[in-house]
Amino acid sequence: MSERGTQRPGHTASEPSAPVGSMPTYLGMPSFPHAARAAVADSQLRRNLTHATTTIRVKRARAIGELEDWPRLRQAAKAIKDHALAHLDTYLARFEENVTRAGGHVHWARDAAEANAIVAGLVTAANADTVVKVKSMATQETGLNEALEQAGITSVETDLAELIVQLGNDRPSHILVPAIHKNRSEIRDIFRATMPDAPPGLTDDPQDLAATARAHLRERFLTATVGVSGANFAIADTGSLVVVESEGNGRMCLTLPQTLISVVGIEKILPSWRDLEVFLALLPRSSTAERMNPYTTVWSGVAPGDGPRDVHVVLVDNGRTATLSDATGRQALRCIRCSACLNVCPVYERAGGHAYGSPYPGPIGAILSPQLRGEGSPVDASLPFASSLCGACYEVCPVAINIPEVLVHLRAKAPKHLSERAVFGLSAAILASPRALAAAQRVAGASKRIVARRGRIRRLPPPLSAWTETRDAPAPPPESFRAWWARTHGTAGTGNGS
Ligand code: SF4
């Protein structure tokens, strides 16, 4: 039975029916260039990131190399996702029907506020004031922890890295490894400062840290009556949800509590079990570089005598149908959150995840967040520009999302500043005239001593300062090619290619 919240998805891919969503926890973040400038100056952060992303990259390449049919798997995954997205209304309705038949309850949420209100209402109805949580991008997107806190409900993150972030009063900076920006000794310090049950002599040995977190969480698992999760996949044919994870904390949250609430983005739908097979081959290799996930938990409604008695699924739009209406941008909804694009991105490796001001950092965040939230805020307007367009993200993406294509598409839609229009207009006029180009080159060469330091131009006067705010440029050469040609050959250059 469909409950509370919103309408059923009777719309098609080309008919957006929901307002662009909001991500309350990340509102008011500075634009990417400003946030990145501070991050790039943090040498410890850069060391942590370089070490972690390099290690993951190498392992992943090895795991992918073992499969000869990786390109075909990738194409199959892309085709399945595209098909599911094109028929989302049908598959979501089928999913709801099958969850309900299996004794579960489906709720529809148009946006983050609605999703959070539904979850808070369900927790209150279960007479609980604490929930244990499985790592979930969807609940980060909706700002669920903060909303529950306002409702007087404590949420306990049980994924080790999420726990570190939560205890450190921090934000995740990576999809798969949310605390990637912290090293071992920083984590030890967080545990010492925030865990009353941490042993006095706690070291920064990874096994010590994991054992401390395990002991800390065990009590919460055994006493919590409500679990909250996301889902990696939702199978329409059977109304099943699938969570894959590496630590086993998810299995505890999904099976021990009496009430289970899963917050799921509507794009997570797969038509059938046969489709899941493809993704269970792709996802572990592409994310953790494992051949299979250590823990894959699947549940379909309520199973007599086994697991939670009260099962709820909150299906969240929050900007997804608006994204679906964009023929180029909708491919971002294929994402399975493997994080491979983050680990190969030169911009992410230097700026880190916080600079993206969104729960989805890195290349996927640069195209997904502005589409889900709209490009109204400084951070969302800046995200499509947070890329060198090198294409490494597209190469590794297991569902073949052409991230550079979407970046360029979003850049073209971004409003152009007056100064930007003026600069491009002036450039076009100069490049169209060999005489004007020669004059401009002479001016640039002459001004070199004024604007350049040690071979680089770091600051230009307005309106060109918009360029040098976020990047520098090589100093103009002392002599242009045209001038060199004229001097050494005694004739003026042709202008063609000069
Ligand atoms: S965009 Fe592709 S590579 Fe990046 S997280 Fe999503 S599925 Fe993985």
Side-chain angles (χ1 to χ4, degrees), residues 175 335-341 364 393 396-399 401 403:
I175 291 175
C335 177
I336 54 172
R337 317 279 190 257
C338 73
S339 76
C341 57
I364 183 60
C393 47
V396 295
C397 178
V399 284
I401 299 172
I403 294 176

Side-chain angles (χ1 to χ4, degrees), residues 60 74 175 283 286-287 331-332 334-344 361-365 367-368 392-403:
R60 179 188 182 277
R74 189 178 184 237
I175 291 175
L283 182 55
S286 195
S287 57
Q331 56 186 305
R334 291 204 295 263
C335 177
I336 54 172
R337 317 279 190 257
C338 73
S339 76
C341 57
L342 279 64
N343 301 327
V344 297
I364 183 60
I367 60 169
L368 189 58
C393 47
Y394 179 29
E395 245 170 66
V396 295
C397 178
V399 284
I401 299 172
N402 190 336
I403 294 176

Side-chain angles (χ1 to χ4, degrees), residues 292-312:
M292 63 182 289
N293 290 293
Y295 295 89
T296 301
T297 306
V298 184
W299 69 103
S300 315
V302 178
D306 185 16
R309 312 284 77 223
D310 196 17
V311 172
H312 299 265

